[in-house]
Amino acid sequence: MDFTISDEVKSVQQLAAQIMGDFTEVDKLKAIEQQDDVFDEKLWAALAEAGLLGLDIAENQGGMGLGFFALTVLCEEVGRTVAQIPVVPVLVGAAATLRRYGSDSQKDQWLPGIASGSTIVTSALEEYNNDDPAKPGCTAQPVEGGYALSGSKICVNQAQTAARVLVSAHNGEELIVALLDPKAAGVTLNRQEVTAGDTRHELVMDKAQVPAEDIVATGGDALIAMQWALQATRVALAAMALGVCDKMMRITGQYTSEREQFGRAVATFQAVSHRVADCYIDVECLRLVTQQAASLIDQGRPAADAVLMAKIWCGDVTHRVSQASQHCHGGTGVDKDYPLYRYCQWARQIELTTGSSARLTGELGESICEQYMGAAG
């Protein structure tokens, strides 16, 4: 597989890095964290003006049409700067899923607004003890003109400002994917503070009605849509983790090169240099498996095993690089005025979102076993 990144995507990455660098100095991040809604709206508007919110939205709907791989490059830069913007739930979970599985009228109604930054459509893929949107616990009861949804979704980003929330529910054996109005009757939002420090919401639905025009898919089409959304979200998180870990490694390299003990830089001690070298190997391996999974999804090819490997590496690498960075920094690493603190919080959040490495390794093992058992008859 050719992993050469096109000049167009390189330009996107450079532009994203330049814009986010202007908005993510430590003082600015601290100010955003003090807000009730931890969302950098000015940065979101700047990215929209540069066209970066529409990387994976078709040109005739206001986007750039560069595809999913380009979108993961943006996710990497968000991780590198720990920018407080909902790029994964809005651009990946909602917009990218709508682009591929929504009706023409739904695409025309929602995607131009997402690309311009004027409209937020987010996604709610997680439930308590369940992060598989293809097997939701929420229910959908057919009613005149649509469905009535009941149940709870958790850790919903921007639920309070979104015009719609992409959710899944089941009607007996049939899966339903719908765009829920979070201000509709029967919907309650409860604040939740997550490990990364931002505020999200528990979304409780009590017979919340969704009109027929907001039903994205049903049955087999809904199953495929939710499987795609979960895979895309896992790869986007791995890309974000790549940016987080690469930055943690570089912060640690700079610190240990400047910090002296016994008249020499800490980085010259073998125990320290070996740990940073291990971080470098981890980061580059994460880059390869993430790009492979992103490339397969971008081309519409089967990516199930590649996605699991990317997310497993994502969980392992965020844990190891975060731990090594903290150890090499000593007490400085937990100082809230020092940048490493936020990166470690993000690393932990990403590590445990949409499945831990231990659980996903078990799923990958079962998948491999089924393939061999099937071949053996």
Side-chain angles (χ1 to χ4, degrees):
M1 183 172 289
D2 182 6
F3 286 122
T4 304
I5 297 176
S6 69
D7 291 340
E8 199 170 28
V9 174
K10 287 180 182 175
S11 298
V12 165
Q13 188 161 22
Q14 291 168 356
L15 178 59
Q18 180 183 346
I19 294 173
M20 283 188 262
D22 292 339
F23 284 83
T24 53
E25 295 170 357
V26 172
D27 289 344
K28 292 180 180 177
L29 290 174
K30 289 174 68 174
I32 296 294
E33 290 165 0
Q34 298 304 312
Q35 299 175 180
D36 285 341
D37 180 15
V38 184
F39 173 32
D40 193 339
E41 295 184 47
K42 292 181 179 177
L43 173 56
W44 193 253
L47 293 173
E49 186 175 357
L52 297 179
L53 299 188
L55 287 173
D56 189 34
I57 293 175
E59 292 183 68
N60 64 351
Q61 283 148 350
M64 297 174 71
L66 292 182
F68 181 74
F69 190 92
L71 183 53
T72 60
V73 169
L74 177 65
C75 293
E76 180 182 339
E77 291 309 314
V78 172
R80 200 185 311 283
T81 53
V82 289
Q84 292 288 4
I85 52 175
V87 63
V88 174
V90 173
L91 302 185
V92 179
T97 304
L98 273 179
R99 179 189 179 184
R100 289 161 178 83
Y101 301 99
S103 66
D104 289 342
S105 61
Q106 288 167 342
K107 296 175 191 176
D108 291 338
Q109 181 177 4
W110 299 112
L111 295 184
I114 296 172
S116 69
S118 62
T119 303
I120 295 285
V121 176
T122 190
S123 54
L125 305 183
E126 295 182 79
E127 300 176 352
Y128 289 108
N129 300 316
N130 178 25
D131 50 31
D132 186 351
K135 300 176 182 176
C138 294
T139 60
Q141 180 71 32
V143 296
E144 185 176 353
Y147 287 88
L149 306 187
S150 297
S152 298
K153 303 289 183 180
I154 60 170
C155 298
V156 185
N157 203 316
Q158 291 305 307
Q160 78 285 13
T161 58
R164 292 290 186 276
V165 182
L166 187 82
V167 298
S168 62
H170 68 85
N171 171 31
E173 297 296 321
E174 186 179 52
L175 186 66
I176 306 292
V177 177
L179 289 168
L180 173 74
D181 181 351
K183 297 179 180 60
V187 177
T188 303
L189 300 178
N190 300 313
R191 288 172 63 94
Q192 295 179 308
E193 186 172 338
V194 298
T195 301
D198 56 310
T199 302
R200 300 184 191 179
H201 285 84
E202 176 193 40
L203 186 153
V204 181
M205 299 171 287
D206 182 12
K207 299 179 182 177
Q209 295 205 14
V210 176
E213 59 265 28
D214 281 344
I215 300 300
V216 177
T218 60
D221 292 338
L223 178 64
I224 294 171
M226 287 297 92
Q227 289 173 337
W228 188 92
L230 179 59
Q231 287 189 359
T233 296
R234 282 174 170 163
V235 175
L237 289 170
M240 189 175 284
L242 176 60
V244 169
C245 292
D246 185 75
K247 185 65 175 183
M248 284 196 292
M249 176 188 69
R250 294 177 189 282
I251 291 172
T252 304
Q254 181 176 357
Y255 177 81
T256 55
S257 297
E258 296 171 353
R259 171 82 166 145
E260 291 190 355
Q261 280 290 336
F262 308 111
R264 52 191 280 201
V266 171
T268 63
F269 291 101
Q270 193 176 55
V272 174
S273 61
H274 280 194
R275 292 207 72 177
V276 180
D278 285 340
C279 291
Y280 178 72
I281 294 169
D282 270 343
V283 169
E284 292 308 305
C285 287
L286 176 59
R287 188 186 310 280
L288 287 175
V289 294
T290 300
Q291 290 182 346
Q292 181 185 26
S295 180
L296 289 172
I297 289 178
D298 190 55
Q299 298 172 55
R301 296 169 58 186
D305 286 356
V307 170
L308 283 177
M309 285 188 279
K311 187 58 175 64
I312 290 167
W313 264 103
C314 163
D316 289 347
V317 170
T318 49
H319 191 93
R320 286 198 293 261
V321 173
S322 178
Q323 192 174 52
S325 299
Q326 283 289 354
H327 287 174
C328 290
H329 274 82
T332 303
V334 296
D335 185 344
K336 290 187 177 181
D337 290 325
Y338 189 72
L340 184 63
Y341 163 77
R342 288 177 181 77
Y343 288 89
C344 291
Q345 282 188 308
W346 274 50
R348 186 63 171 166
Q349 179 78 42
I350 294 171
E351 176 188 351
L352 298 178
T353 301
T354 67
S356 68
S357 293
R359 202 195 83 203
L360 298 183
T361 300
E363 290 183 12
L364 180 60
E366 291 175 3
S367 172
I368 294 170
C369 182
E370 287 176 1
Q371 291 175 30
Y372 276 92
M373 294 293 286

